[in-house]
Amino acid sequence: NAGVMQNPRHLVRRRGQEARLRCSPMKGHSHVYWYRQLPEEGLKFMVYLQKENIIDESGMPKERFSAEFPKEGPSILRIQQVVRGDSAAYFCASSPPTIETQYFGPGTRLLVL
Amino acid sequence: AQSVTQPDIHITVSEGASLELRCNYSYGATPYLFWYVQSPGQGLQLLLKYFSGDTLVQGIKGFEAEFKRSQSSFNLRKPSVHWSDAAEYFCAVGISAQGAQKLVFGQGTRLTINP
């Protein structure tokens, strides 16, 4: 059973460009979570999604950030008009609906120049 | 508000020595508690978790943790560390909301092993 997949692993963008981060949950998992880890800090919750629904986006910045988890395909975290402060590691985690444990992907390290 | 505190930002121990990493949490309900380990440039691997029952939980790689409700603590221990244990360790509390959980993490403790 493959683990949580994230791609790309590293992403470099210039200020003002868009960043798209993808997450494929583990097989059988219907819950997806996105976390952000700023340099030298712990992970901070951003958003929790189920298929075709955003359940909790209380940790998402109000502007430029959006997330989706379509019926088919991976979950996408989209950052529009990136700024240097968006440079961070973005981790996706997944869990099945009846188990509380989240399993993390390897992360996408975003660098904004 | 829910929070997790890891008082030690950086700890250095010698290989073969015992280890204890501290974690204190603030959460009104019965907590779900986790320890994760992150190697440089990698994702997070679950070491162990506490949901209920026996307050001493065993995890992978020889780690254990003890839940102490009276102290709001969930400290991680290992009797004898190996050089491969050098990594960043994160304590987290699971916050139940809307049918699932989101994790609130501490800032992490970086563990260095001296040969």
Side-chain angles (χ1 to χ4, degrees):
Chain A
N1 188 11
V4 178
M5 311 279 283
Q6 288 188 251
N7 66 80
R9 294 289 304 275
H10 298 273
L11 183 61
V12 180
R13 285 287 178 266
R14 297 191 181 279
R15 282 178 295 170
Q17 291 183 319
E18 179 180 285
R20 282 187 179 235
L21 288 61
R22 296 175 190 78
C23 169
S24 297
M26 288 177 69
K27 187 176 180 180
H29 288 193
S30 56
H31 295 199
V32 166
Y33 304 78
W34 285 93
Y35 294 83
R36 178 165 66 174
Q37 183 179 32
L38 294 170
E40 308 299 323
E41 294 189 13
L43 281 74
K44 298 285 196 298
F45 168 80
M46 299 181 75
V47 61
Y48 156 52
L49 309 102
Q50 295 178 18
K51 285 283 187 182
E52 300 185 279
N53 282 303
I54 297 174
I55 307 301
D56 182 350
E57 56 181 347
S58 58
M60 287 277 271
K62 294 287 184 272
E63 297 177 348
R64 301 188 296 108
F65 284 73
S66 62
E68 63 177 12
F69 189 15
K71 186 176 181 180
E72 301 290 337
S75 175
I76 306 286
L77 180 68
R78 182 183 179 204
I79 311 172
Q80 295 178 289
Q81 300 176 323
V82 296
V83 300
R84 288 207 174 125
D86 297 332
S87 295
Y90 292 83
F91 290 95
C92 168
S94 73
S95 72
T98 57
I99 298 178
E100 297 82 1
T101 302
Q102 295 177 27
Y103 296 89
F104 283 79
T108 294
R109 276 126 184 110
L110 172 66
L111 175 62
V112 180
L113 301 177
Chain B
Q2 305 89 356
S3 65
V4 176
T5 301
Q6 293 180 245
D8 304 304
I9 296 174
H10 189 193
I11 282 183
T12 300
V13 299
S14 298
E15 190 168 15
S18 63
L19 172 71
E20 182 170 30
L21 302 182
R22 295 183 291 167
C23 172
N24 293 96
Y25 67 90
S26 172
Y27 184 49
T30 300
Y32 290 177
L33 295 161
F34 305 82
W35 275 99
Y36 286 86
V37 60
Q38 183 182 32
S39 297
Q42 301 298 312
L44 277 72
Q45 182 182 21
L46 179 67
L47 283 176
L48 48 77
K49 60 191 176 187
Y50 171 78
F51 289 169
S52 64
D54 193 346
T55 56
L56 184 63
V57 293
Q58 303 297 320
I60 62 171
K61 304 185 179 186
F63 285 93
E64 65 177 28
E66 186 172 11
F67 169 58
K68 293 186 177 179
R69 184 185 299 275
S70 61
Q71 299 177 20
S72 297
S73 69
F74 188 56
N75 294 348
L76 182 71
R77 300 194 293 250
K78 186 170 185 178
S80 176
V81 298
H82 185 263
W83 65 266
S84 60
D85 293 325
E88 188 101 22
Y89 291 79
F90 292 97
C91 180
V93 61
I95 308 298
S96 295
Q98 303 186 66
Q101 290 203 6
K102 58 185 180 185
L103 298 175
V104 175
F105 285 87
Q107 286 193 291
T109 298
R110 182 167 299 172
L111 175 64
T112 299
I113 307 295
N114 281 335

